[in-house]
Amino acid sequence: MKLVIAVIKPFKLEEVREALTAIGVAGMTASEAKGFGRQKGHTEIYRGAEYAINMLPKVRLEIATSDALAPQVVETIRSTASTDTIGDGKIFVLDLPEVVRIRTGESGELAL
């Protein structure tokens, strides 16, 4: 099993969710995040004063998936979340040694 973690632009969340649902992803966790990478933030002007925004708003997605579906999940996120501009985000894929469904006690891929 794999844990796919994706950090994407917030306005892409719904589009990515719909695309993942279409390929058979049964669930995911989404949380608000702030961060920066090569983009290094930007400056804005508010009421005539310029200020720097160093941490940009992002959405962090976590998807537990089977080994077989993981490459398709990664490609779906990459193609759907891309705007071809800096700051599109990152995708991390980690091995997931164990999953347990709390309600039933099922474990492994049955718990996904």
Side-chain angles (χ1 to χ4, degrees):
M1 294 173 295
K2 302 289 185 191
L3 178 63
V4 179
I5 301 171
V7 180
I8 63 172
K9 291 182 175 182
F11 69 89
K12 286 292 198 171
L13 175 60
E14 191 59 28
E15 190 177 342
V16 169
R17 188 195 62 78
E18 288 172 1
L20 289 172
T21 301
I23 65 165
V25 171
M28 71 178 72
T29 300
S31 51
E32 293 180 10
K34 289 188 176 191
F36 72 93
R38 292 183 182 162
Q39 195 174 5
K40 303 278 192 276
H42 64 276
T43 59
E44 288 188 3
I45 298 175
Y46 178 72
R47 294 190 176 183
E50 187 174 305
Y51 62 98
I53 297 178
N54 297 322
M55 302 291 273
L56 299 171
K58 301 288 181 183
V59 171
R60 177 184 166 125
L61 301 176
E62 297 176 32
I63 302 123
T65 186
S66 65
D67 288 331
L69 190 57
Q72 191 176 1
V73 168
V74 170
E75 180 53 29
T76 299
I77 295 169
R78 193 207 60 75
S79 63
T80 308
S82 176
T83 63
D84 291 327
T85 59
I86 194 166
D88 276 349
K90 295 262 190 316
I91 302 172
F92 306 94
V93 181
L94 308 169
D95 286 325
L96 191 59
E98 185 66 28
V99 176
V100 176
R101 185 184 309 268
I102 294 172
R103 179 177 53 86
T104 63
E106 294 171 308
S107 63
E109 288 195 22
L110 291 174
L112 295 177

